[in-house]
Amino acid sequence: MRAFKARMKYGHCTLFMNSSVRLRFAPSPTGFFHIGSARTALFNWLYARHTGGTFVLRIEDTDLARNTPEALHVLYAGMRWLGLDWDEGPEVGGPYGPYFQSERGDIYKDYLEILRKTGRVYDQDGAVYFKVSGEVQVITDLIRGRVERLEEKDFVIFRSDGTPVFHFVNVVDDIAMKITHVVRGEDHLSNTSKHQELFKAFGAPVPEFAHLPLILKTDGPGKMSKRDRGSLVEEYINRHFLPEAVVNYLCLLGWSPKENREILPIKTIVDLFELTAINKNNAHFDAQKLVFMNAEYTRALPLEDLVARVKPVLTEAGLLEGYADGYLKEVLAIAQEKMRGIEELPVNLKSFFSDDFEYDAAAKEKVFKKGDPKARLHELKGAFALLREFNEESLEIAVKALAEEHGVSTGEYIHPARLAVSGMGIGPSFYGLLRVIGRDRVLKRIDDFIQVM
RNA sequence: CUCCCGUUCGUCUAGCCUGGUCUAGGACACUGGAUUUUCAUUCCAGUAACAGGGGUUCGAAUCCCCUACGGGAGACCA
């Protein structure tokens, strides 16, 4: 039913109500949600939604020390922020639970018994070892093709303290949860020979494998680590990125729609996504491109949506007190076209909501360098006071008239006035800025600025 | 050290499977210009790549081999 809903949601043909495709994302809660993990989750989710299959969230919390409620919260919050809803798993349940490995001890014991009966394990130093077959494992990977690897040494599947190890629980759960496609990072490719041996030892069908390329540091060696700037989903949440932009960017790291189009709605990506179209080579993380995408998405947002998303951010910054929603909407209506992200708003839009703002030093220096800004501001004051209407049209006419009268460029009015009114050298359309700030505040701010010149 | 994976503009990629249409396309970034006789937008233009060497072939970015480089894995971590 869940799969059916997913199909309806994304407008697929519903010839088949669901499919037997089952994918899982199996993170261990570490307290961080790494961008690489997020991409793995995303690709699993995409393929589940593409096929109308089932997306399972399984928590690999066998490392009890790191398994805290806070760590789980970070994970759920990140998943939900990215829009990666799971069909089975914590908080939603499902027929193959429990979905925490820490609660599946009995299942692991049962599976161990199977291996004991078939003579594939032995005990040594208190630990249980799995006997490898000695056969070369031919792994068929949807992304990499045929990969051969020989697992040479027997390996531990139960520690001497009685707890099972990753390779064992991972495979057992994939069997028990009827996972058909294992989509994970390439760092697991070398483990796959172990896993395939286990699948075969259990007499279970070997799932399809798809090993994703890794996300490498922007510069410098190695893969992104949690210490690298930009490597955590939390960071993008805190910086008020639009999740759809982050998702779109992540989709393009290792996958491409192959049609010279990059900004794609998730619905389209779900339609086009194929595991076999994923690249083999690792990709460097490019924060600049993500920022660009975020800007594109931000500017394309319907105004109402933008207002809704900005409101809590400016409220938190303490800027919205005493202002009606309508005013915020007016401000954003003129600011949106040049926005790069919501993150910059508490600073860039401060002067719309507060008289307590600083004058940008660089802009100030630039303004003082040219012409006679003081005289220009006095002229503006006079002209603004006389205007019948205080709107874009009348303001533009007035400024242009002054410029012509005094034989200077409008820039000589605009630069100092923008600085006086907003404290900044850059910003929304100048005439819109004046209109929204309003005549009284504009005049007062020009006065104030003249005082400090 | 061993095993596995990879290598197209600075970065993400298209093309590679099914050799000729590739004087290698798009995007970010960068540079220049236009518009806004401001700017963060928008528009236009430009710089820039098939890792190297050997084959196969009439012809190779595309197929094969070697080298180099990059990445990953080698735990009673996950």
Side-chain angles (χ1 to χ4, degrees):
Chain A
M1 200 55 211
R2 196 106 184 159
F4 173 70
K5 272 195 282 188
R7 279 182 165 269
M8 293 306 288
K9 190 164 158 195
Y10 296 104
H12 290 273
C13 156
T14 49
L15 203 57
F16 304 105
M17 296 280 279
N18 59 29
S19 84
S20 52
V21 170
R22 292 176 57 83
L23 296 104
R24 58 26 175 213
F25 173 53
S28 66
T30 58
F32 306 99
F33 196 15
H34 190 267
I35 203 85
S37 299
R39 206 260 313 241
T40 299
L42 171 62
F43 280 24
N44 274 282
W45 179 89
L46 282 173
Y47 194 63
R49 296 300 172 248
H50 176 77
T51 56
T54 304
F55 178 52
V56 179
L57 177 62
R58 179 174 80 220
I59 307 297
E60 307 218 332
D61 57 348
T62 50
D63 185 352
L64 292 167
R66 294 191 295 191
N67 180 25
T68 64
E70 296 79 57
L72 280 174
H73 174 77
V74 167
L75 189 64
Y76 299 157
M79 293 283 286
R80 293 199 163 109
W81 186 75
L82 292 166
L84 306 181
D85 56 321
W86 54 98
D87 307 311
E88 289 177 26
E91 299 186 349
V92 302
Y96 302 99
Y99 293 91
F100 291 87
Q101 286 186 334
S102 58
E103 297 170 14
R104 297 174 65 80
D106 291 344
I107 297 166
Y108 303 137
K109 295 232 167 58
D110 292 347
Y111 273 78
L112 175 59
E113 281 315 302
I114 297 172
L115 258 24
R116 280 199 198 284
K117 287 209 180 81
T118 52
R120 289 301 298 273
V121 298
Y122 59 89
D123 291 37
Q124 188 182 300
D125 301 325
V128 182
Y129 279 74
F130 175 75
K131 269 190 243 179
V132 297
S133 67
E135 291 164 10
V136 170
Q137 295 303 307
V138 179
I139 295 146
T140 311
D141 190 283
L142 260 15
I143 296 170
R144 270 143 230 289
R146 179 192 166 101
V147 177
E148 288 187 17
R149 208 182 114 89
L150 175 66
E151 201 59 46
E152 290 175 303
K153 289 188 300 191
D154 297 346
F155 55 92
V156 169
I157 54 173
F158 270 78
R159 302 184 187 92
S160 48
D161 69 2
T163 59
V165 305
F166 160 74
H167 302 296
F168 181 82
V169 294
N170 191 266
V171 167
V172 166
D173 286 344
D174 284 345
I175 294 169
M177 294 181 180
K178 300 199 161 46
I179 299 302
T180 60
H181 293 67
V182 172
V183 178
R184 72 220 315 189
E186 200 230 47
D187 48 346
H188 284 297
L189 185 55
S190 307
N191 290 329
T192 306
S193 43
K194 282 191 182 74
H195 297 180
Q196 190 162 92
E197 289 252 11
L198 283 167
F199 278 108
K200 288 178 177 170
F202 283 117
V206 177
E208 301 278 359
F209 289 108
H211 285 92
L212 269 20
L214 268 22
I215 299 177
L216 270 25
K217 292 178 200 286
T218 304
D219 35 43
K223 52 178 179 172
M224 283 280 269
S225 87
K226 61 171 161 285
R227 291 208 305 272
D228 292 311
R229 181 169 160 73
S231 66
L232 264 27
V233 174
E234 301 86 282
E235 177 178 334
Y236 299 103
I237 300 176
N238 294 335
R239 290 174 61 191
H240 311 295
F241 273 65
L242 299 183
E244 49 272 58
V246 175
V247 165
N248 196 150
Y249 175 73
L250 252 23
C251 286
L252 263 28
L253 230 40
W255 176 83
S256 150
K258 306 189 195 307
E259 49 175 55
N260 286 352
R261 208 151 56 104
E262 298 196 320
I263 308 275
L264 302 150
I266 191 66
K267 171 185 181 299
T268 306
I269 294 175
V270 166
D271 282 344
L272 298 176
F273 187 78
E274 285 296 346
L275 292 174
T276 50
I278 295 170
N279 297 141
K280 297 178 178 70
N281 46 312
N282 297 340
H284 291 88
F285 187 79
D286 184 357
Q288 280 185 317
K289 188 145 188 176
L290 173 51
V291 166
F292 160 80
M293 285 216 160
N294 188 242
E296 290 285 307
Y297 271 89
T298 303
R299 292 192 288 261
L301 225 46
L303 186 56
E304 297 290 344
D305 286 4
L306 184 64
V307 170
R309 302 208 205 198
V310 166
K311 197 177 168 181
V313 178
L314 293 187
T315 301
E316 194 187 348
L319 291 175
L320 253 31
E321 269 173 70
Y323 289 100
D325 285 6
Y327 178 69
L328 173 60
K329 192 172 167 183
E330 266 191 285
V331 171
L332 290 175
I334 62 165
Q336 182 176 21
E337 69 165 326
K338 289 175 185 173
M339 279 180 62
R340 293 186 61 75
I342 292 173
E343 171 183 34
E344 68 193 11
L345 263 27
V347 170
N348 287 7
L349 297 187
K350 185 174 183 189
S351 63
F352 283 94
F353 302 97
S354 166
D355 295 324
D356 178 29
F357 57 85
E358 308 278 316
Y359 300 110
D360 181 80
K364 209 165 159 183
E365 194 183 333
K366 215 170 155 189
V367 159
F368 288 156
K369 264 207 306 234
K370 210 162 98 195
D372 186 354
K374 206 162 189 171
R376 301 289 91 85
L377 287 175
H378 277 294
E379 289 157 23
L380 280 178
K381 258 181 65 185
F384 287 171
L386 293 173
L387 284 175
R388 288 186 54 209
E389 307 270 342
F390 200 77
N391 58 35
E392 274 94 330
E393 225 182 5
S394 61
L395 285 163
E396 186 165 354
I397 290 169
V399 172
K400 284 187 172 164
L402 278 180
E404 201 164 323
E405 186 189 334
H406 293 87
V408 296
S409 75
T410 51
E412 292 202 33
Y413 291 93
I414 292 174
H415 286 301
R418 177 189 288 286
L419 183 61
V421 169
S422 73
M424 301 185 65
I426 54 173
S429 131
F430 175 66
Y431 304 111
L433 167 73
L434 296 183
R435 191 205 86 227
V436 173
I437 296 285
R439 178 168 5 210
D440 293 350
R441 284 198 294 179
V442 167
L443 291 177
K444 169 143 195 332
R445 286 178 186 187
I446 290 177
D447 266 337
D448 290 349
F449 188 63
I450 288 171
Q451 298 306 313
V452 302
M453 279 179 91

